[in-house]
Amino acid sequence: MTYEEAVQYIEQASSFGIQLGLSRITALLDILGNPQRQYQTIHVTGTNGKGSVTAMVTAALEAAGYRVGRYTSPHLETYRERIYVHGQLISAPDFAEAIATVQEGVNQLTASGQEAPTTFEMLTAAAFWYFAEKKVDYAVIEVGLGGLLDSTNVITPVVSIITNVDFDHMKYCGHTIGEIATQKAGIIKAGVPVVTTATGEALQVIAKRAYAKQSRLYALHHGFDVMPLPPGEDKTTQAIRVTTTAGKTIDVTLPLLGQHQQQNGAAAVMALLELARTRKALTRTAICQGLAHVRWPGRFQVLTVQGKQVVIDGAHNPAGITSFCQTYEQVFARRPRIFVFSVLADKDYTHMIQELFRSDDEVYVAPVPNPRTADPKVLCPQLPCHATPCQSLEEAVDRAFTHATAEDVICLVGSLYMQGVVRAYLREHYQASL
């Protein structure tokens, strides 16, 4: 099986759509020998920030000398991004081998009359198998959707992390904060400590679940706190101080910007400090070094492309839009903005566009390369500023660069599904270094 054949194989399963539940993944992993039990895991969920936290924890464990696997979703440009070990994305041949192994398991499953797994379940099984093959010490696992019924929720981690809880994926997670928090809190396992930045009703739900599971809970403003430190000359980083109720203080520098990343960084630090209680290699120095060098593209990523300032951000739900707006003001103040914007039709984009756009913005609206895309011609009249529908993301990017002056900031914002096209186009046609 080649890489291209592997991608074709897993994508044919996407016709089944999103089907939450653990029966298919459990049966598949049984056939594969339950590889997820051969290493220790950290489990991360939340509405926003779970990918950033996953990357931070991975970087710190690597700095401590551990061999670490990382599983995230979705990818920006290639499926290989989802599976990572020891500083490297899975190679194309290794990806093909992992999917071929999973295919054998799927064939056994369906031959016995059981239901075929979904695309995400196959990828999850492939990642778990690959981590075992590579003999990782730890695997940091990001939930795909929700938590309770997500296919990653077959692991028993050494620590669980829940970032913020807000409205997203309501069709699957529920229509109230309480219902969504119940899904997120589903990753809490008996006796496993949990770290969260959730607040209000969501925190109450998480605390109730942690108490029922006899799991130690570290909550922002209760078990730990974070404060920003004075900014230095480097505008591409920010420094924070994390303090715990146990009296520990640690200052770290993050190359990820925004107040939301301060909270994400604090959650990662708190989880790492919990692990460090029994792991001598995970020193304060390792934590600081790891977080200082973390890379997580597409999350308020600031670039200079052909002399123009560009921001790429995957804000695709109300909480993400709020974070983008706050971070933009923090970094660029009132500099004028030119947007390339795409969104899926099933998102709460009415609320998003009301918060995102100012009356003086210029916006080029393009379709997401996904069947669920919102129609640019339908979106444009709803924007509170001048907006132009485009037939493609490439056209929108070209028009934004043509229109932009040296003072403007070009903001490529919206669905994560737009990033693959945008990033490849910037690299190939604008010689951008991403």
Side-chain angles (χ1 to χ4, degrees):
M1 177 180 280
T2 65
Y3 174 76
E4 291 73 21
E5 289 169 341
V7 170
Q8 184 179 18
Y9 172 71
I10 58 174
E11 287 187 343
Q12 56 84 26
S14 66
S15 60
F16 298 112
I18 296 172
Q19 299 183 60
L20 297 177
L22 301 180
S23 60
R24 293 177 299 273
I25 186 68
T26 299
L28 179 56
L29 289 170
D30 280 344
I31 291 172
L32 297 177
N34 286 304
Q36 76 280 7
R37 297 176 185 171
Q38 296 182 34
Y39 40 82
Q40 298 189 88
T41 56
I42 294 93
H43 208 185
V44 187
T45 192
T47 301
N48 297 96
K50 55 185 180 292
S52 298
V53 171
T54 299
M56 292 177 193
V57 173
T58 300
L61 290 171
E62 287 178 335
Y66 294 109
R67 188 171 179 83
V68 187
R70 186 184 74 198
Y71 179 54
T72 57
S73 61
H75 59 272
L76 302 182
E77 298 183 66
T78 169
Y79 277 101
R80 293 175 49 231
E81 297 168 31
R82 299 186 181 217
I83 304 174
Y84 160 112
V85 169
H86 201 54
Q88 300 291 328
L89 304 184
I90 186 172
S91 68
D94 283 354
F95 184 88
E97 182 184 2
I99 296 302
T101 301
V102 168
Q103 182 183 31
E104 292 176 9
V106 171
N107 291 342
Q108 290 184 47
L109 202 63
T110 55
S112 66
Q114 298 187 63
E115 188 178 8
T118 65
T119 294
F120 187 73
E121 289 165 344
M122 291 181 193
L123 286 165
T124 301
F128 289 169
W129 176 85
Y130 184 68
F131 296 152
E133 286 293 299
K134 291 299 180 180
K135 295 180 169 53
V136 301
D137 302 307
Y138 290 93
V140 190
I141 308 297
E142 179 191 359
V143 164
L145 194 158
L148 178 65
L149 300 176
D150 185 76
S151 66
T152 64
N153 202 28
V154 292
I155 58 175
T156 301
V158 290
V159 64
S160 302
I161 306 172
I162 304 174
T163 62
N164 73 327
V165 176
D166 213 311
F167 292 105
D168 198 14
H169 301 297
M170 280 94 81
K171 178 180 177 181
Y172 303 100
C173 295
H175 293 272
T176 68
I177 290 295
E179 290 173 343
I180 296 169
T182 297
Q183 292 297 314
K184 309 295 185 189
I187 72 166
I188 300 174
K189 305 296 194 304
V192 175
V194 57
V195 175
T196 186
T197 59
T199 59
E201 182 184 358
L203 177 57
Q204 293 176 14
V205 172
I206 292 166
K208 184 177 179 181
R209 169 81 174 188
Y211 180 80
K213 292 292 183 178
Q214 297 184 315
S215 299
R216 189 184 302 113
L217 175 64
Y218 300 97
L220 183 64
H221 307 315
H222 298 279
F224 64 103
D225 262 300
V226 61
M227 62 176 289
L229 296 175
E233 294 184 5
D234 186 356
K235 301 302 181 184
T236 64
T237 66
Q238 61 177 335
I240 60 171
R241 173 168 294 164
V242 181
T243 57
T244 75
T245 52
K248 293 184 179 179
T249 300
I250 183 168
D251 295 349
V252 297
T253 299
L254 298 173
L256 301 174
L257 300 176
Q259 183 180 355
H260 61 296
Q261 296 293 11
Q262 295 173 15
Q263 294 194 358
N264 293 335
V269 168
M270 186 67 248
L272 290 161
L273 289 174
E274 169 62 22
L275 291 176
R277 294 171 61 190
T278 55
R279 294 157 178 85
K280 291 183 179 180
L282 190 54
T283 62
R284 178 184 298 264
T285 299
I287 294 172
C288 293
Q289 287 181 346
L291 268 65
H293 293 97
V294 68
R295 288 194 73 253
W296 197 235
R299 281 70 174 181
F300 209 90
Q301 184 177 4
V302 181
L303 309 166
T304 300
V305 180
Q306 296 190 352
K308 296 178 180 179
Q309 202 92 64
V310 177
V311 176
I312 306 177
D313 191 83
H316 60 281
N317 56 36
I321 294 295
T322 298
S323 295
F324 171 85
C325 293
Q326 292 174 345
T327 307
Y328 186 93
E329 185 173 346
Q330 172 190 332
V331 177
F332 295 112
R334 292 292 298 181
R335 279 183 64 178
R337 312 181 302 183
I338 297 177
F339 279 90
V340 171
F341 180 69
S342 295
V343 69
L344 296 177
D346 54 11
K347 294 291 182 179
D348 179 18
Y349 62 75
T350 301
H351 174 88
M352 290 164 59
I353 61 180
Q354 289 173 350
E355 181 170 5
L356 178 59
F357 299 117
R358 305 187 305 226
S359 60
D360 60 342
D361 288 332
E362 184 74 30
V363 184
Y364 296 100
V365 183
V368 181
N370 185 291
R372 293 157 53 205
T373 186
D375 185 343
K377 292 181 180 179
V378 173
L379 274 175
C380 283
Q382 301 181 51
L383 270 61
C385 54
H386 188 263
T388 304
C390 298
Q391 294 186 347
S392 69
L393 281 163
E394 293 90 343
E395 177 194 346
V397 169
D398 285 342
R399 296 183 73 160
F401 269 88
T402 300
H403 187 95
T405 67
E407 179 62 17
D408 293 319
V409 179
I410 300 172
C411 302
L412 311 175
V413 176
S415 173
L416 285 171
Y417 291 103
M418 72 184 274
Q419 289 215 19
V421 172
V422 165
R423 297 174 75 84
Y425 194 66
L426 287 176
R427 193 181 294 114
E428 294 165 9
H429 292 266
Y430 291 87
Q431 292 73 54
S433 177
L434 298 171

